[in-house]
Amino acid sequence: FEWVGAIHPEDRDRFVEASLTALEGRCGFESDSRTRRHDGEYRLLRTNGTPIHDRTGEFKGHVGTCIDLTELHLAEDATQETRTALAHVLRIESMDQMAAELAHELHQPLAAISLTTGAALRSIANDRADSALLREMIEEVQRQALHAGTLLGGVRNFIRGELDLIAPLDANEVV
């Protein structure tokens, strides 16, 4: 079999084994292998062998076909690269949306903290500091700071993949 030398060395043993097994078993076979063309370029070929018999049913050999899968293989690689690039773009867009959402959500507690501390400082500066009112203001600042921390913790867990995406939900509470 001189033509076996055209099969890529890494594919040759597998191809020869499939061919010989089919020849000995007088059955069909299919094998993919890289095969060198006359110009030295390797192409991915799918070789099919179908047994042929004479009128008496005696096995006479195989008739074969080769289908060049190179372009299909290259197109599949390009498709996979495109999918990978698209997934990357979608991840970046998701992160961008998440950053915008986070900025929006953090704006409220931070604004409340700023307004409350500003009012408390003005109260102290004008010598009108009521300890009960200052206590309420400080407690509000603490609540808003905890809320902001909870938002950041949720984002951190999401990024680390620790966020439970499926959780029990009370429909009445949602309504």
Side-chain angles (χ1 to χ4, degrees), residues 144-170:
Q144 294 298 330
L146 289 173
H147 179 60
T150 301
L151 290 171
L152 289 173
V155 170
R156 187 178 322 118
N157 290 342
F158 177 77
I159 290 171
R160 289 183 184 162
E162 297 171 5
L163 184 65
D164 291 333
L165 297 178
I166 299 175
L169 185 64
D170 181 357

Side-chain angles (χ1 to χ4, degrees), residues 104-159:
H104 174 75
E105 291 296 322
L106 283 175
H107 178 73
Q108 292 174 341
L110 293 175
I113 289 169
S114 178
L115 289 172
T116 305
T117 55
L121 288 172
R122 282 189 301 279
S123 176
I124 291 169
N126 294 332
D127 287 332
R128 292 183 283 154
D130 174 1
S131 63
L133 181 60
L134 285 176
R135 179 180 207 57
E136 285 179 36
M137 291 177 161
I138 291 171
E139 287 172 351
E140 178 61 19
V141 167
Q142 185 179 32
R143 271 193 303 279
Q144 294 298 330
L146 289 173
H147 179 60
T150 301
L151 290 171
L152 289 173
V155 170
R156 187 178 322 118
N157 290 342
F158 177 77
I159 290 171

